[in-house]
Amino acid sequence: MRILALDTSAAAGSAALSEDGRVTIARAGDASRTHAERLPLELMALLDAAHVRLADVDRFAVAIGPGSFTGLRVGIATIQGLALARGALVVPVSTFEALAWRARDEHTAIAAWIDAHRGEVFASLFAADGTTLVQPSSLSPDQTLEGWRHQLAGLPHVRFTGDGAVKYDAVIRRALGNRASIDTEVPILADAIASIAAADPSRAVQPHALVPLYVRRPDAELARDRRRAVELPRE
């Protein structure tokens, strides 16, 4: 089975193709241009490089978030369009899962931290076997670690990964010291997304069933509510 995977949760994002469970090509995107400007041409270029036609793709996979709200909408819409045209199913994969997959270690818990801006991180904590220990949240780094205090107390070591971990490494080290290791590079995720989709084909859904995982409400919605509150007539 050929699976075309796309991640638009971050500015650069990435795309990958897997065949029979093996990733054959993976590329980071061009962060100097928006996803709307680059897609679906970047996917077509990836397929051309792999000498594979779109008609030969059996299934699609896409990051559903959290991450860039605009990027996620563009990525999901792109994959929905391609999947509908092919009459194919799509495997939704959270950005947390993809980060944990890339950092997986049978002996170490994994903390996936994504920069949520506004001084917050999207965060989720996984056991070494991939079990979710803490559901996703959107809080400041200090509040996140405080909320995880009970779970962290029983863990001898935690591996932090993602751009949020890189950005707030000092906060993590101050709280956990040498019990924490922090990945210094943020990996591309499309290859992990393709691998997850290949490993669990039962997760595939119809294109219209894709639902973004935002964790918190989009900034545009929050700004709209603030404007409405200001505009409300005073009694």
Side-chain angles (χ1 to χ4, degrees):
M1 176 179 286
R2 289 191 178 94
I3 299 175
L4 181 61
L6 176 66
D7 168 41
T8 56
S9 62
S14 55
L17 179 72
S18 72
E19 298 191 33
D20 298 325
R22 183 177 65 89
V23 175
T24 56
I25 185 170
R27 287 180 172 177
D30 178 3
S32 68
R33 301 168 61 209
T34 68
H35 292 294
E37 292 173 323
R38 292 149 39 198
L39 293 171
L41 293 179
E42 278 192 348
L43 291 174
M44 300 304 104
L46 181 87
L47 291 175
D48 285 344
H51 305 292
V52 172
R53 300 176 304 163
L54 181 61
D56 297 324
V57 174
D58 303 296
R59 186 158 293 176
F60 297 85
V62 65
I64 58 170
S68 162
F69 299 120
T70 302
L72 292 172
R73 287 194 293 268
V74 171
I76 290 172
T78 298
I79 290 297
Q80 284 176 320
L82 294 175
L84 284 168
R86 286 281 299 114
L89 298 177
V90 183
V91 177
V93 178
S94 80
T95 319
F96 292 131
E97 287 180 281
L99 282 167
W101 180 278
R102 288 296 303 264
R104 65 193 185 281
D105 182 325
E106 62 183 15
H107 303 297
T108 305
I110 298 166
W113 278 27
I114 300 164
D115 183 13
H117 305 292
R118 302 194 316 196
E120 296 181 346
V121 289
F122 299 125
S124 190
L125 181 64
F126 297 84
D129 64 0
T131 303
T132 302
L133 295 177
V134 181
Q135 292 301 316
S137 62
S138 177
L139 298 167
S140 73
D142 286 313
Q143 289 173 322
T144 299
L145 293 171
E146 176 60 25
W148 291 4
R149 185 157 51 95
H150 176 70
Q151 289 82 4
L152 292 173
L155 298 173
H157 185 262
V158 183
R159 179 177 177 180
F160 285 76
T161 187
D163 59 358
V166 174
K167 184 173 182 177
Y168 295 107
D169 63 336
V171 177
I172 296 168
R173 295 191 187 284
R174 184 171 65 244
L176 297 179
N178 58 14
R179 290 174 54 211
S181 61
I182 303 169
D183 292 350
T184 58
E185 295 184 2
V186 180
I188 66 171
L189 297 180
D191 52 352
I193 292 167
S195 296
I196 291 170
D200 190 1
S202 66
R203 296 172 50 156
V205 300
Q206 294 291 338
H208 68 268
L210 291 174
V211 178
L213 174 63
Y214 287 143
V215 180
R216 78 175 180 213
R217 294 172 62 203
D219 290 349
E221 289 186 7
L222 296 173
R224 182 188 61 205
D225 288 351
R226 287 194 294 269
R227 287 196 301 271
R228 287 177 176 174
V230 171
E231 293 167 359
L232 285 175
R234 297 179 180 178
E235 295 183 359

